[in-house]
Amino acid sequence: MLEFLKNPILTFQEFIVLAGRTIRGVFRKPYYWDDVFTQMDLIGIGSLPVVLLTGFFSGAVMALQMSRALQTYGASSQVGQIVAITLVREMGPVLTALMVAGRNASGMASELGSMKVTEQIDAMRALGTDPVMKLVKPRVLATSVVLPLLTVLADFVGIVGGWLVACVLLSLTTSAQYWSNSWRALEYNDITQGLLKPFVFAIVLSLVGCYYGMRTTGGTQGVGRSTTQAVVVASVWVVVLTFIIGRIFVSM
Amino acid sequence: MPDSSSPVVLAFDRVSLSFGGETVLREVSFAMRRGESMIVLGAAGSGKTVLLKTALGLLTATSGRIELFGEDVTGLDEQAWYERRSHVGVLFQEGGLFDSLTIEENVAYPMLNQPRLACPEEEVIRRVQESLNFVELGHTLEKFPSELSGGMRRRVGIARAIVTQPDLLLYDSPTAGLDPITANTIIALIIKGRDMRHATTFMVTHRYQDGQLLAGFHHDEATGQLLPVNGQRETGRTHYLVLREGAVVFDGSATELEASRDPYVRRFVRREEGA
Ligand SMILES: Nc1ncnc2c1ncn2[C@@H]1O[C@H](COP(=O)(O)OP(=O)(O)OP(=O)(O)O)[C@@H](O)[C@H]1O
Ligand SMILES: [Mg+2]
């Protein structure tokens, strides 16, 4: 039993050490801004299409599924409210984070993993740069700026998707009612939760990607293994964290 | 000529290292004085790369004492290591060239990132060009590592190792995976680099022949040719270290190596004689 737990605990410990070094590093020089902007471009612009598509269709699907239930209660006009709240609080942050985990946590793990097995990480240390500052910090900074922005966009196109289904396709309610309902439904609390979540997810998923990349061993095969592990672990963290953060907000 | 009064550049004193439960270095001890060359032989997985990385502080020894440039560096923290490493040039087995940077940027990297070596941009450009000319790749500045052949990448690695004019050079299997002619060109460059700056050279290799060349030839500055060293082979300029499963099983001169009766050691000497 103890043997069985030893590996995950050691891994978690190493992860926390990397997280600690990175977070301390955020407040220290040097800053490699070029790398930060490259990563922002890669994550932000690169993930935009897939994030928008996911957002749009999750809003549309939600409106579709809710329509029947709402009609039963004669509450069709409430569809905007439901779509907006669910998207902003939960679906937007989680789905966007899962997409970015699949695209970018894996990308980070495979990029850093290949650098590790070709001794580029060793070369960095040998030639005067700290890989945590040069590789990990820019990725964490870039992700934590870009993921909340992507989430806001996903939320918005999701509400548009809901509107198309509710008002244009099914004529459940009027456009004016849909928009004013969804706008009024959102409280300060929802917005905070909807922005805090992607920020936390961003830090965790970029750190997970970098961590699995940096600890790659065993050549090209090892890179494949790290990539898979990074996506799986990052995705699991996203769903676990959304529950934990949600729990904190519900009890507040 | 180095002798026993030259300062010690790199010394290991009963250094052991293990990963988890697996011991990779076992009580390794040796010393290199300024201007000496050391050739490390050993089977695949015998710990040669680990030994080299431990000398640079990239891996941390589990026990034992390491001395670099006459200073005890055992247990130094990462920040303090950066300064020490700026005095050492290194060529990694897997190359370690940055894929995302051009050849010029790769070679300039240590010059730009080590605070100790900070200098004006023109000086960096000059040094980089000089270093690339040295390895006869002065025309590839704008290319990326992926556009070069294996032998050329190795040469870029050498250029990057010597651009800072280090006092100690570490080469990890510089000829691995190269054809014999390219391999000899690489060794010729290493000899040239050693003799022009009298740098202390630590070379890991699979080929006994590489050691013979390093020990038996010197670079003649007047003609730019490699000439055999006559009668100087016994002066102790070149040491051999043979590793077996992380332990030093031989430490001595070329003559002693050739006279060794140890079957494991003989394998390295004999195998290459036939080749
Ligand atoms: N980061 C690491 N984690 C765990 N074990 C390692 C690590 N690096 C090396 N080893 C182990 O240490 C031993 C020595 O490896 P090393 O790379 O030094 O061999 P080598 O002598 O350089 O071999 P080769 O000639 O193939 O390059 C091997 O058994 C290897 O599996
Ligand atoms: Mg090796």
Side-chain angles (χ1 to χ4, degrees):
Chain A
M1 182 65 190
L2 274 175
E3 272 307 296
F4 173 75
L5 279 177
K6 203 172 125 196
N7 262 334
I9 290 176
L10 276 180
T11 305
F12 187 68
Q13 195 182 354
E14 276 175 26
F15 176 77
I16 294 297
V17 170
L18 177 70
R21 283 180 59 197
T22 311
I23 289 163
R24 235 178 310 133
V26 168
F27 304 100
R28 287 201 193 149
K29 281 205 284 197
Y31 291 92
Y32 300 98
W33 292 115
D34 282 357
D35 296 281
V36 177
F37 294 129
T38 314
Q39 289 301 320
M40 280 182 169
D41 182 51
L42 207 70
I43 302 163
I45 309 298
S47 306
L48 198 57
V50 60
V51 162
L52 291 185
L53 271 175
T54 325
F56 180 84
F57 282 102
S58 49
V61 162
M62 222 176 324
L64 200 63
Q65 293 294 346
M66 288 301 158
S67 59
R68 181 100 58 77
L70 289 173
Q71 273 168 336
T72 329
Y73 299 108
S76 309
S77 60
Q78 301 299 308
V79 64
Q81 190 174 342
I82 289 188
V83 170
I85 290 181
T86 331
L87 268 178
V88 171
R89 269 196 211 159
E90 204 63 59
M91 301 290 275
V94 170
L95 289 175
T96 311
L98 288 177
M99 290 299 139
V100 172
R103 251 191 112 256
N104 301 102
S106 64
M108 291 172 199
S110 70
E111 188 184 359
L112 268 56
S114 353
M115 292 183 76
K116 177 72 195 309
V117 300
T118 54
E119 295 180 320
Q120 291 179 54
I121 305 239
D122 285 315
M124 269 187 181
R125 291 172 65 200
L127 304 178
T129 35
D130 181 350
V132 172
M133 299 300 255
K134 174 82 179 162
L135 298 172
V136 183
K137 188 170 88 175
R139 281 166 177 75
V140 173
L141 284 178
T143 317
S144 42
V145 171
V146 167
L147 192 59
L149 294 178
L150 284 175
T151 305
V152 170
L153 288 175
D155 291 346
F156 177 72
V157 291
I159 297 176
V160 172
W163 166 78
L164 263 180
V165 169
C167 305
V168 181
L169 205 65
L170 302 179
S171 312
L172 291 178
T173 170
T174 64
S175 290
Q177 196 165 27
Y178 179 90
W179 285 108
S180 75
N181 255 346
S182 54
W183 180 246
R184 266 189 289 124
L186 295 176
E187 287 169 13
Y188 186 65
N189 196 330
D190 301 318
I191 310 275
T192 321
Q193 198 178 153
L195 285 176
L196 180 74
K197 275 182 181 172
F199 181 72
V200 175
F201 296 161
I203 293 174
V204 171
L205 71 86
S206 53
L207 277 172
V208 167
C210 294
Y211 169 74
Y212 280 100
M214 299 255 284
R215 63 162 230 170
T216 305
T217 52
T220 335
Q221 270 191 321
V223 177
R225 221 170 17 240
S226 312
T227 310
T228 319
Q229 277 176 325
V231 179
V232 171
V233 173
S235 310
V236 170
W237 270 113
V238 166
V239 277
V240 172
L241 282 171
T242 194
F243 174 77
I244 296 175
I245 299 173
R247 183 76 193 73
I248 294 171
F249 270 85
V250 167
S251 64
M252 264 179 14
Chain B
M1 281 294 107
D3 52 49
S4 53
S5 63
S6 300
V8 170
V9 170
L10 175 65
F12 273 47
D13 184 16
R14 280 168 290 137
V15 172
S16 298
L17 191 150
S18 37
F19 291 110
E22 190 194 354
T23 307
V24 184
L25 291 183
R26 293 166 210 272
E27 308 241 315
V28 172
S29 299
F30 67 86
M32 283 174 84
R33 295 181 178 281
R34 186 151 82 208
E36 282 180 353
S37 301
M38 169 109 82
I39 292 149
V40 183
L41 298 165
S46 55
K48 305 183 294 295
T49 300
V50 170
L51 179 67
L52 182 140
K53 287 187 184 170
T54 313
L56 261 185
L58 298 174
L59 293 171
T60 310
T62 322
S63 67
R65 196 169 157 278
I66 300 167
E67 200 181 298
L68 187 65
F69 303 117
E71 179 198 19
D72 187 351
V73 290
T74 325
L76 220 57
D77 72 7
E78 183 77 5
Q79 224 48 47
W81 263 112
Y82 283 120
E83 202 279 327
R84 309 303 189 284
R85 289 179 194 140
S86 71
H87 296 271
V88 184
V90 56
L91 172 72
F92 287 100
Q93 185 167 12
E94 304 295 337
L97 295 181
F98 304 118
D99 297 326
S100 54
L101 303 182
T102 64
I103 300 306
E104 183 180 21
E105 289 163 339
N106 260 290
V107 178
Y109 199 93
M111 299 295 299
L112 299 176
N113 285 290
Q114 282 162 344
R116 189 181 70 83
L117 301 167
C119 60
E121 200 184 324
E122 307 85 69
E123 173 71 3
V124 174
I125 294 174
R126 194 184 63 74
R127 293 267 287 271
V128 168
Q129 185 68 57
E130 190 180 279
S131 209
L132 279 167
N133 288 344
F134 177 88
V135 297
E136 291 159 18
L137 285 174
H139 54 285
T140 57
L141 261 58
E142 300 304 319
K143 289 208 158 87
F144 284 90
S146 55
E147 299 173 275
L148 302 184
S149 73
M152 285 160 101
R153 280 205 291 272
R154 222 47 80 75
R155 272 145 69 195
V156 175
I158 294 179
R160 189 174 71 177
I162 61 172
V163 71
T164 59
Q165 308 192 334
D167 305 311
L168 172 63
L169 279 157
L170 312 175
Y171 296 102
D172 193 353
S173 315
T175 60
L178 299 180
D179 64 86
I181 296 170
T182 317
N184 288 345
T185 329
I186 298 287
I187 297 296
L189 285 173
I190 292 176
I191 296 174
K192 204 166 127 194
R194 175 193 68 186
D195 294 346
M196 282 170 64
R197 295 210 54 252
H198 307 289
T200 314
T201 306
F202 178 101
M203 182 172 83
V204 169
T205 181
H206 295 92
R207 298 201 321 166
Y208 177 58
Q209 212 181 334
D210 292 348
Q212 281 181 312
L213 286 173
L214 204 65
F217 286 82
H218 75 96
H219 176 254
D220 186 69
E221 264 177 69
T223 60
Q225 300 283 316
L226 287 190
L227 300 175
V229 190
N230 294 315
Q232 288 174 359
R233 235 175 107 174
E234 310 306 323
T235 55
R237 272 181 63 109
T238 308
H239 277 268
Y240 285 85
L241 205 65
V242 181
L243 282 186
R244 178 185 194 172
E245 288 167 16
V248 175
V249 291
F250 176 88
D251 181 0
S253 69
T255 330
E256 284 165 343
L257 183 75
E258 273 155 32
S260 170
R261 296 254 152 264
D262 185 320
Y264 179 83
V265 175
R266 288 228 54 85
R267 238 171 58 200
F268 290 95
V269 184
R270 220 183 295 131
R271 194 182 63 200
E272 305 298 340
E273 275 169 358

